[in-house]
Amino acid sequence: MKALKKYTAAGLLTCASLGATSGCSSVMTHTGPSQGYYPGTRASASVLTDENSSWAMKPLAAIDLPFSAVMDTLLLPWDYYRTDDTDSPRERVRRSEQQNRTADGLSQAAPMAANSPTP
């Protein structure tokens, strides 16, 4: 009976750790700009089919693929909400700087008098 409890706890711990660490592709692709629907699943599948992927990444992508599919399914409402948001954060910053004319203000600033002798 002790052995059964021991193996049950080890099995639950293994399943919980696999579930907590998987779906990485889905989480990583959802942190950037919108990439459509099921971006994590597509990313894992592209790693599996890419001939330039290393031998170490292919098994990890194969393990991650079903978990990313589940995570992408759970995040479908978020993807639908972000369908119009195709800008990357870099593009939003660049556009904001153009609107505020940050570069113009910096180019007209007086140069710093570094290492100039004082009379």
Side-chain angles (χ1 to χ4, degrees):
M1 192 63 165
K2 280 185 175 181
L4 183 60
K5 287 184 182 179
K6 182 179 174 182
Y7 291 125
T8 303
L12 287 174
L13 181 63
T14 303
C15 289
S17 64
L18 277 174
T21 60
S22 296
C24 298
S25 294
S26 179
V27 172
M28 288 187 325
T29 56
H30 279 91
T31 58
S34 177
Q35 296 182 7
Y37 300 109
Y38 288 90
T41 306
R42 283 187 280 123
S44 291
S46 69
V47 169
L48 287 173
T49 58
D50 186 14
E51 61 186 35
N52 294 325
S53 294
S54 70
W55 62 270
M57 288 302 294
K58 287 191 179 196
L60 295 175
I63 292 169
D64 184 61
L65 184 67
F67 294 104
S68 287
V70 169
M71 183 68 79
D72 284 338
T73 303
L74 293 174
L75 292 173
L76 268 175
W78 176 251
D79 290 336
Y80 179 74
Y81 173 74
R82 291 183 359 155
T83 53
D84 295 333
D85 182 26
T86 57
D87 288 345
S88 67
R90 181 178 183 168
E91 284 298 315
R92 288 194 298 262
V93 168
R94 188 185 60 77
R95 192 171 47 248
S96 173
E97 287 178 349
Q98 284 178 346
Q99 287 174 350
N100 296 332
R101 296 191 174 127
T102 305
D104 294 340
L106 290 176
S107 66
Q108 295 174 2
M112 292 181 55
N115 297 329
S116 61
T118 55

